[in-house]
Amino acid sequence: MKSEPSTFSIDDLARKSSQQENWDGVRNYQVRNMMKNEMRIGDKAFFYHSSCEKPGIVGTVTIQAVGLVDPTAFDPKNPYFDPKSDRQNPRWYMCRVQLTEIFNCLISLADLRNTDKLKNMQILRPGNRLSITPITAQEWQIIHQLTC
DNA sequence: GCCAACGTTGGC
DNA sequence: GCCAACGTTGGC
């Protein structure tokens, strides 16, 4: 799960007293469908910092809730406001994540690219623009072996 | 700031 | 349903 650390970093998540946060503001249909239909409570995800000086994986989260209506779409003052979504017929959904691990060191994008067994990961494909992408159990294990 | 690689929009 | 134009993402 990608987030721009200037908007919401893993440290921001750690500062929450509950160490939980709604993953709101997603305005992409494929990603919405993942949060609405494919994610399951208890699923684990890597937290990835994107569009920053050192892009890469900084820790892991556990999914606490799935398929929640995203209320930011209803608020005209919210940057993620979408007039085409209304409470009777919501267009956008979110999930809720809980902080699980913060890695001692970053697993950089270069580290991921340099790992042969990860070369088919969706996030490494050219033009990948989805803020959430599925990974396999094997990829989960291999990435954990890159931690220090 | 550049640019590739998308996704979205809207006219037809 | 097609497709051009436009907007966004995100690494570099």
Side-chain angles (χ1 to χ4, degrees):
Chain A
M1 300 175 72
K2 292 188 214 169
S3 183
E4 298 186 22
S6 59
T7 303
F8 186 72
S9 71
I10 199 164
D11 293 324
D12 294 328
L13 179 59
R15 275 192 285 272
K16 297 271 173 181
S17 57
S18 62
Q19 304 210 325
Q20 293 188 12
E21 184 64 300
N22 290 326
W23 205 263
D24 60 17
V26 170
R27 297 294 178 263
N28 172 281
Y29 289 103
Q30 287 183 62
V31 178
R32 177 202 69 178
N33 292 344
M34 277 186 245
M35 295 194 293
K36 190 164 176 278
N37 304 325
E38 293 170 32
M39 278 184 172
R40 297 290 178 264
I41 292 171
D43 280 354
K44 299 271 179 63
F46 289 112
F47 197 120
Y48 181 95
H49 282 173
S50 67
S51 290
C52 56
E53 194 181 346
K54 293 178 177 176
I57 296 172
V58 290
T60 66
V61 295
T62 303
I63 305 302
Q64 295 296 118
V66 297
L68 306 171
V69 171
D70 182 350
T72 64
F74 308 137
D75 178 4
K77 287 183 293 234
N78 192 287
Y80 302 115
F81 174 62
D82 182 354
K84 293 173 184 164
S85 187
D86 63 73
R87 292 178 192 278
Q88 280 67 42
N89 186 22
R91 176 174 292 205
W92 301 114
Y93 291 79
M94 63 187 186
C95 64
R96 187 169 179 82
V97 301
Q98 170 143 43
L99 180 64
T100 305
E101 303 172 80
I102 295 182
F103 293 153
N104 291 326
C105 58
L106 174 84
I107 302 175
S108 71
L109 179 59
D111 292 337
L112 298 174
R113 288 201 191 283
N114 286 334
T115 303
D116 193 54
K117 286 178 177 171
L118 298 176
K119 63 176 189 238
N120 292 324
M121 272 187 83
Q122 203 167 324
I123 200 175
L124 301 181
R125 288 183 201 158
N128 160 63
R129 300 175 60 234
L130 301 180
S131 57
I132 302 178
T133 49
I135 60 167
T136 66
Q138 189 190 18
E139 286 162 349
W140 177 268
Q141 295 289 339
I142 292 165
I143 291 168
H144 262 94
Q145 289 167 13
L146 299 176
T147 56
C148 55

